[in-house]
Amino acid sequence: MTRASTEMTGAVGETVVRRRFVVRGIVQGVGFRPFVHRVASRLGLAGSAYNFTGGVEIEVEGPPSAVLAFGAALVNERPAIAVVDDVVTEDLAPTGQTDFVIVPSREQPGGQVFISTDLALCGDCRRELLDPADRRYHYPFINCTNCGPRYTITARVPYDRPNTSMKPFLMCQRCAGEYQDIADRRYHAQPVACPHCGPVVEFAAAAGMTCRGGDALEMARTWLGNGRILAIKGLGGFHLACDAGNEEAVQALRRRKGREQKPLAVMVRDLGCAEQMAQLTPSDRHLLQSPQMPIVLAPKRLPERLASSVAPASSDYGVMLPYTPLHEMLFLDSPLRALVMTSGNLSDEPLCTDNQEALQRLSAVADAFLWHDRDILVGCDDSVVRTTRCGPIMIRRARGYAPCPTRLAHSVRPVLAVGGHLKDTVCFTAGTGAVLSQHLGDLENMATLCHFERLIEHLQAVLQVEPQALACDLHPDYLSTRWATETAERLGLPLIGVQHHHAHIAACLADNGVSGPVVGLACDGTGYGEDGAIWGCEVLEADLNGFRRLGHLREVPLPGGEAAVREPWRMAAAYLHEAYGPEALDTVPARLTQIGASQWGLLRQMLQRRLNCPLAASAGRLFDAVSALLGLCLQAGFEGQAAITCEAAAEPTHSHYPYAIHSEDGNLLLDPLPTVRAVVDDLARGVTVPQIAGCFHETFALMLAEAAQAGCDATGHDTVALSGGTFQNRLLLERLHELLIARGLHVLCHQAVPPNDGGLALGQAVVADAQLRAD
Ligand code: ZN
Ligand code: ZN
Ligand code: FE
């Protein structure tokens, strides 16, 4: 696009040039145009800048050296939260312009646009919030170009105030002044507001009592302090909140929400408070204070500092800091140190974002509402991250991270991938980016499916893409698969089914910006296999185009099918049956006596006759079996609970149990039955549960490392990709990583995308693109 520059001589005899810079990436809603204006002023350049649907376009005019310096500054000094993908320059004829102006945005269809994520309250705004002399003192919607809402208030692009839910708020003179002042931190900050012109917070109790502004915040603090439950409207949706130090309040919240055991997230007043209740690593501290401010899972300090029912089934607390000014105000001059802050929904329902909807759905849970009149246009949960020695693992990717694109190694065609069933996300590809949506939840019912459709519509409006194909899982009964099938038919688009574990490995490849081929270890609970069987612990040779199954875990029966997923004790029985035969089930094992003899007997018959016993090769179910044999978790209150308790109990060790890897017709069979027998022996000998759990983890890591090596030997690859929900297990991931490195192999772990089913859609999208390309 560059052509010979047309030069012109300025008044003082110096040469003047004019150059256009087209900047693409995450450059809208991050203070990019103000930044451009400041740099241009500093360098004495004239020109203009405007947002277009694909990014920001800038023209500058002045001495060649200054124009050159401007180009360098565009990349080197860009705002920390901006992401510049590429800059295309073109030399133009100078026009003699003498000032620098920001031109109103132009709409331009078909561009590739990436909208900024919502950002946590910045240090400057926090200072002003707490400064009695500031005009936004205690104003719960203070924000600037470096912080505040973005994605969740944007209806469409370009990112300008009329296209956001700030549209109804007419800026007062002083706000408008700041908005237009190039020297101001709020220059062109779209959500800029103050107590005179901006959103208002309101407290509303069930009895009809309401108050607004500072009184509302005061009332909220009082009610929370008194052990009441509040529904609080935040950045991406409602939270249900109560004092995390008040056992009765936490129990009431669990009871009313219908959430029995799953750990509840906690918002603490400051970092010091987080340190007191959890053991934080330097990277935990860094994440907690990052502009994303996710929930960080960190080991509890003992004795527990919070009500015991906050996280009864976990050795970790999920901790976050106040990430909006409204949240900051909840702790102001209050003895409250930590609040339970759990998603504002009933179990299995999507997050509430709208005031009326919240009133209808959450009235039975909340004693009162703290809400406001700035609409949330798309729901976005809190993100959840866990740090490891191999980098942070994204457990739930939403606020602060979505819809930040994954950069791909090559340009792709527009595809919409709809993910799986649990922890669903969807993914759009466009240009050289793949945009994975925020976490949606489990697609269990019509309510979540409607939410899924709304999210697809919203994301499409923000991204301005028209998919040319759809991608989905192979499982015929997933709601996402059915929706994709119907939609593809209706629109006459090709539909590409992608095998679950292939999608996991492809997601890991895309997450690392590579395309393979590699040996992939895909370990999770359940995925639909190409043969219709349940897969879940796979050694694959894979690239984006396709895969070959090199090996898998030995299959065991799942007595009762889905019931075996909810009741890990059934898996203990299944493994005992496989390891020793039916006689082993004559008596109920010591740690399983909670299961009545008649129930146990029934299961024995089921296994013996193979009634309703589909076969599964699942890493998750093996963890379930061991967790149950150890008496840690017989009934799972939530997905993955048995594996989480098994990891929590484990004492790391380098001693291990026997295992076997058989080679059958060139196919590797990973056999954990010798391991299960050794676990049973150790239990009988009185070895402690932490020792057995630790030894089991070490054994499983060794078995996977050996299988990966065998896969590499068979294929000639030396890179191993790790994906699947099992790799949320820090102990297993860190040890396996270490073992693979020690064998001289190259290891790919997930970076920005979850290893669990929340990453599937990304894998599906890149596989679909590769297959379209191959056709
Ligand atoms: Zn700020
Ligand atoms: Zn104002
Ligand atoms: Fe999976």
Side-chain angles (χ1 to χ4, degrees):
M1 208 162 154
T2 309
R3 60 187 165 92
S5 72
T6 318
E7 299 188 352
M8 180 167 131
T9 305
V12 289
E14 200 189 359
T15 310
V16 164
V17 293
R18 187 175 181 93
R19 186 169 292 166
R20 174 184 293 150
F21 297 82
V22 180
V23 186
R24 286 168 206 273
I26 304 174
V27 289
Q28 292 191 16
V30 294
F32 204 83
R33 287 175 302 173
F35 149 73
V36 163
H37 194 296
R38 277 196 305 276
V39 174
S41 312
R42 189 182 78 206
L43 296 169
L45 292 166
S48 62
Y50 69 90
N51 276 346
F52 69 100
T53 358
V56 175
E57 192 171 313
I58 307 145
E59 288 181 19
V60 289
E61 181 166 335
S65 59
V67 170
L68 211 61
F70 179 84
L74 263 191
V75 177
N76 299 331
E77 297 174 31
R78 68 177 189 276
I81 46 183
V83 180
V84 172
D85 284 335
D86 76 326
V87 182
V88 177
T89 61
E90 182 185 9
D91 287 325
L92 308 168
T95 63
Q97 190 180 354
T98 54
D99 59 342
F100 193 96
V101 289
I102 303 269
V103 181
S105 299
R106 290 177 210 167
E107 305 243 7
Q108 198 182 294
Q112 173 186 340
V113 81
F114 296 117
I115 186 91
S116 167
T117 62
D118 299 302
L119 300 162
L121 180 67
C122 76
D124 289 331
C125 286
R126 178 174 285 111
R127 252 188 310 281
E128 290 171 355
L129 179 71
L130 303 175
D131 174 7
D134 194 274
R135 70 189 191 92
R136 292 188 182 85
Y137 179 56
H138 288 180
Y139 180 55
F141 303 97
I142 185 170
N143 66 80
C144 71
T145 45
N146 301 316
C147 75
R150 298 286 186 279
Y151 176 51
T152 54
I153 59 163
T154 304
R156 67 193 75 82
V157 285
Y159 173 69
D160 277 328
R161 193 158 167 126
N163 287 341
T164 72
S165 59
M166 286 304 291
K167 185 181 175 184
F169 301 97
L170 197 66
M171 268 186 260
C172 70
Q173 241 177 6
R174 291 183 73 180
C175 283
E178 290 168 332
Y179 183 87
Q180 285 152 15
D181 177 4
I182 192 71
D184 199 277
R185 204 172 81 246
R186 296 194 169 83
Y187 179 61
H188 280 235
Q190 306 306 340
V192 70
C194 78
H196 299 290
C197 66
V200 178
V201 64
E202 185 182 72
F203 179 93
M209 182 262 283
T210 61
C211 54
R212 289 155 73 86
D215 293 343
L217 294 165
E218 182 58 47
M219 196 64 86
R221 288 188 290 265
T222 308
W223 279 51
L224 287 168
N226 290 341
R228 311 299 287 270
I229 296 168
L230 258 55
I232 299 176
K233 187 177 182 180
L235 206 48
F238 275 81
H239 278 116
L240 288 163
C242 72
D243 179 359
N246 184 329
E247 178 64 30
E248 259 174 69
V250 180
Q251 278 188 21
L253 174 51
R254 281 195 180 277
R255 207 170 41 242
R256 296 189 209 166
K257 186 178 166 171
R259 176 151 158 170
E260 280 165 20
Q261 296 177 54
K262 200 172 176 185
L264 298 167
V266 170
M267 182 180 278
V268 294
R269 63 181 309 144
D270 52 32
L271 191 66
C273 217
E275 300 271 13
Q276 281 169 17
M277 57 192 61
Q279 301 164 36
L280 304 179
T281 64
S283 47
D284 289 336
R285 274 178 222 119
H286 173 79
L287 274 166
L288 280 172
Q289 300 178 93
S290 67
Q292 288 78 24
M293 284 205 185
I295 294 170
V296 171
L297 300 183
K300 292 173 180 172
R301 279 191 200 281
L302 298 175
E304 285 185 32
R305 307 298 207 277
L306 300 174
S308 59
S309 52
V310 168
S314 171
S315 57
D316 286 350
Y317 277 133
V319 184
M320 63 181 150
L321 295 182
Y323 56 85
T324 70
L326 192 149
H327 293 135
E328 190 78 36
M329 294 305 294
L330 295 175
F331 294 98
L332 186 85
D333 302 328
S334 154
L336 288 168
R337 293 164 59 247
L339 292 171
V340 164
M341 277 283 194
T342 183
S343 305
N345 57 358
L346 302 179
S347 283
D348 299 330
E349 282 187 11
L351 183 68
C352 277
T353 51
D354 177 80
N355 292 0
Q356 280 314 307
E357 184 194 7
L359 187 64
Q360 275 170 22
R361 283 167 47 197
L362 301 180
S363 282
V365 188
D367 297 310
F369 293 80
L370 185 69
W371 53 28
H372 55 76
D373 50 358
R374 186 179 70 200
D375 288 342
I376 297 171
L377 300 184
V378 67
C380 201
D381 277 286
D382 295 316
S383 295
V384 181
V385 182
R386 190 181 197 197
T387 61
T388 74
R389 287 202 303 266
C390 331
I393 317 172
M394 195 62 72
I395 306 275
R396 183 167 76 192
R397 184 178 173 279
R399 176 181 52 77
Y401 298 96
C404 188
T406 301
R407 292 280 140 236
L408 302 173
H410 51 271
S411 106
V412 290
R413 58 209 76 202
V415 171
L416 165 61
V418 296
H421 168 62
L422 296 174
K423 303 181 165 69
D424 200 38
T425 59
V426 301
C427 181
F428 279 99
T429 54
T432 56
V435 175
L436 189 65
S437 76
Q438 66 271 38
H439 162 90
L440 269 155
D442 302 346
L443 283 185
E444 298 273 17
N445 48 38
M446 277 322 285
T448 44
L449 193 69
C450 287
H451 182 57
F452 163 91
E453 284 187 312
R454 275 208 311 272
L455 179 109
I456 289 175
E457 269 170 40
H458 180 261
L459 204 53
Q460 194 170 358
V462 168
L463 297 174
Q464 305 262 301
V465 281
E466 264 324 310
Q468 290 172 15
L470 274 81
C472 64
D473 197 87
L474 292 182
H475 200 304
D477 298 331
Y478 283 176
L479 286 181
S480 60
T481 306
R482 289 199 214 152
W483 183 88
T485 310
E486 283 164 25
T487 307
E489 231 168 63
R490 183 162 49 80
L491 302 177
L493 293 174
L495 175 69
I496 294 153
V498 182
Q499 199 280 323
H500 191 96
H501 302 95
H502 181 210
H504 271 309
I505 298 302
C508 184
L509 294 177
D511 202 1
N512 284 279
V514 297
S515 48
V518 295
V519 168
L521 292 177
C523 301
D524 61 5
T526 309
Y528 195 82
E530 274 187 323
D531 53 4
I534 300 168
W535 295 9
C537 188
E538 308 300 313
V539 186
L540 308 178
E541 179 191 26
D543 60 14
L544 300 184
N545 274 294
F547 76 100
R548 190 159 64 96
R549 199 182 192 196
L550 300 174
H552 58 86
L553 191 70
R554 179 195 180 106
E555 292 176 321
V556 294
L558 243 57
E562 272 299 300
V565 180
R566 292 188 303 269
E567 301 180 2
W569 68 271
R570 289 172 181 253
M571 290 316 300
Y575 268 99
L576 290 174
H577 186 270
E578 294 302 289
Y580 300 102
E583 298 73 34
L585 303 188
D586 285 349
T587 53
V588 184
R591 286 174 191 270
L592 299 173
T593 47
Q594 222 179 298
I595 308 302
S598 62
Q599 220 182 341
W600 187 261
L602 220 60
L603 204 76
R604 182 187 195 273
Q605 284 185 18
M606 219 172 176
L607 282 162
Q608 216 172 344
R609 297 188 197 156
R610 299 269 160 167
L611 288 170
N612 191 13
C613 280
L615 290 175
S618 159
R621 298 297 83 77
L622 174 60
F623 272 87
D624 285 358
V626 172
S627 192
L629 283 172
L630 298 182
L632 292 168
C633 177
L634 307 190
Q635 319 264 358
F638 56 93
E639 200 228 348
Q641 184 179 356
I644 290 170
T645 44
C646 188
E647 183 196 351
E651 204 168 80
T653 173
H654 280 192
S655 54
H656 65 91
Y657 294 128
Y659 61 87
I661 296 184
H662 314 291
S663 187
E664 283 178 4
D665 317 323
N667 219 313
L668 302 167
L669 192 66
L670 287 62
D671 187 356
L673 293 186
T675 315
V676 171
R677 291 189 198 105
V679 167
V680 172
D681 289 349
D682 264 2
L683 270 170
R685 285 191 307 156
V687 178
T688 68
V689 166
Q691 282 173 318
I692 299 175
C695 203
F696 168 70
H697 273 78
E698 174 74 5
T699 310
F700 195 58
L702 283 167
M703 181 161 67
L704 289 180
E706 193 180 320
Q709 176 81 67
C712 286
D713 293 346
T715 57
H717 306 315
D718 63 355
T719 302
V720 180
L722 307 179
S723 190
T726 300
F727 294 115
Q728 295 170 103
N729 183 319
R730 172 162 41 202
L731 183 57
L732 176 70
L733 178 73
E734 288 180 346
R735 183 61 178 143
L736 176 59
H737 189 271
E738 194 172 63
L739 289 166
L740 293 170
I741 297 288
R743 285 174 179 267
L745 297 169
H746 189 63
V747 187
L748 299 177
C749 295
H750 275 280
Q751 311 278 328
V753 167
N756 59 43
D757 286 5
L760 275 183
L762 172 62
Q764 292 170 351
V766 291
V767 168
D769 170 69
Q771 294 190 357
L772 287 172
R773 193 181 303 273
D775 286 348

